[in-house]
Amino acid sequence: MYESLTADEVRALGESGVCGETCALLMDSEGRRVPGLDERRMGIDETVLRGIPTRIAIAAGKEKAAATRAVLKSGLVSSIVTDVDIAAAVLD
């Protein structure tokens, strides 16, 4: 998602506390939703997403550890497929 944003947009989202995203739903490091792209995103609504019993996230690369931790804290996913770097980081 970040590749489609301008440098100013990325900076503003970072300043507002955005740490990660899933389905273009932004969240801070504690997994709380942060507004920012809701009016521009096309995708499943958060309420509909939460109503799906099995929600699987895929994350790889140690550079995504903080974002993965935020997504897991959000409760937006029920399972994760990942690598050893992410697993070790989120289990700390």
Side-chain angles (χ1 to χ4, degrees):
M1 180 214 46
Y2 276 98
E3 291 83 28
S4 65
L5 301 175
T6 67
D8 288 341
E9 289 172 320
V10 170
R11 186 173 36 262
L13 290 173
E15 289 171 358
S16 68
V18 172
C19 175
E21 64 88 20
T22 188
C23 301
L25 299 168
L26 307 175
M27 57 213 60
D28 67 11
S29 63
E30 295 302 313
R32 295 178 296 243
R33 287 269 288 115
V34 177
L37 297 178
D38 292 342
E39 69 283 351
R40 292 172 43 187
R41 62 180 284 280
M42 290 182 5
I44 191 166
D45 179 81
E46 179 181 1
T47 305
V48 174
L49 179 61
R50 288 185 184 277
I52 299 170
T54 303
R55 301 170 312 272
I56 302 170
I58 300 171
K62 60 185 174 184
E63 69 279 359
K64 294 183 181 176
T68 302
R69 190 177 298 112
V71 170
L72 292 172
K73 286 182 176 183
S74 76
L76 288 170
V77 300
S78 60
S79 301
I80 184 168
V81 176
T82 192
D83 61 24
V84 68
D85 291 325
I86 295 281
V90 300
L91 290 174
D92 282 341

